[in-house]
Amino acid sequence: MLKGAITLSAIYCLLHPSCNAPAMAENPLVRMKNAAMSKVSNSSIGKKAGAAVEIRDKWGVFIGIGRYQDPGIKPLPFAFKNTGALTETFKNVGVGRFAPDHVIAVANAAATKESIENILTDEWLCKKALPEDLVVIYICTRFVRGESGRGIMLLANDTKLETAGIEGIPLSSLLSNVKRRLQSKRI
């Protein structure tokens, strides 16, 4: 019964003048490709097609804090290991293809609030990376909600849990400072 219903509707569609279905169904992937190509060719009429902007250089900052000075903050067992593994992966010639001196890792005791802010906004990254560069930032740490609507506060190695909502690293302002200082669209 179902086969008959499909056959009758297909015959009706072929015979009815308002139905413009092709006799052979077009591959949906081919149809999507053709539609995309027609949009590209139609939108570029009268416009000069610009060359794609190439990535000039690549920089990576990897921060992992698994242990904290304050015993009240629960440790992250794999933060140090993950940060080291990612650093090596990005430096690998066959995988990440980042120059070894273009990747920096800061972990555990070295990841204080001052050192994190210096690496990202003052000392290292902003002095080296240019607007045409690709920048990868990886941060593995605990966080708390900021007091008075300050958003998310990242916990550095030297952050105290009772004052973390005030003295932690505000994520939104940290990222906006990095974006403003680097002026890169690839962060």
Side-chain angles (χ1 to χ4, degrees), residues 130-179:
L130 296 175
E132 306 85 37
D133 293 352
L134 169 71
V135 176
V136 176
I137 300 172
Y138 171 80
I139 302 173
C140 182
T141 187
R142 297 228 178 253
F143 64 91
V144 296
R145 287 210 179 271
E147 292 183 6
S148 305
R150 290 183 67 185
I152 294 174
M153 307 295 273
L154 301 177
L155 302 183
N157 179 271
D158 58 347
T159 305
K160 303 281 187 241
L161 186 59
E162 59 271 358
T163 59
I166 299 169
E167 296 178 2
I169 303 169
L171 179 62
S172 61
S173 66
L174 179 71
L175 294 178
S176 65
N177 283 341
V178 169
K179 182 108 175 132

Side-chain angles (χ1 to χ4, degrees), residues 23-166:
M24 295 188 69
E26 183 181 11
N27 183 340
L29 295 175
V30 172
R31 186 172 56 241
M32 288 170 44
K33 176 187 158 206
N34 291 339
M37 292 303 288
S38 69
K39 287 180 183 178
V40 168
S41 63
N42 290 340
S43 66
S44 63
I45 296 174
K47 296 181 184 176
K48 185 177 178 182
V53 179
E54 291 186 24
I55 294 173
R56 190 189 73 80
D57 216 341
K58 300 185 283 188
W59 301 88
V61 176
F62 300 93
I63 301 166
I65 309 166
R67 303 223 179 270
Y68 302 88
Q69 291 177 8
D70 187 346
I73 302 173
K74 187 178 175 183
L76 283 173
F78 296 105
F80 180 76
K81 187 176 180 180
N82 291 348
T83 302
L86 276 172
T87 301
E88 292 307 312
T89 302
F90 275 77
K91 287 181 184 179
N92 187 325
V93 177
V95 182
R97 299 185 185 135
F98 280 54
D101 64 336
H102 285 50
V103 177
I104 189 168
V106 181
N108 289 337
T112 62
K113 179 179 179 178
E114 183 180 348
S115 69
I116 292 170
E117 289 175 341
N118 282 340
I119 287 169
L120 290 174
T121 59
D122 295 331
E123 295 295 319
W124 194 77
L125 187 61
C126 289
K127 287 187 177 180
K128 297 189 181 265
L130 296 175
E132 306 85 37
D133 293 352
L134 169 71
V135 176
V136 176
I137 300 172
Y138 171 80
I139 302 173
C140 182
T141 187
R142 297 228 178 253
F143 64 91
V144 296
R145 287 210 179 271
E147 292 183 6
S148 305
R150 290 183 67 185
I152 294 174
M153 307 295 273
L154 301 177
L155 302 183
N157 179 271
D158 58 347
T159 305
K160 303 281 187 241
L161 186 59
E162 59 271 358
T163 59
I166 299 169

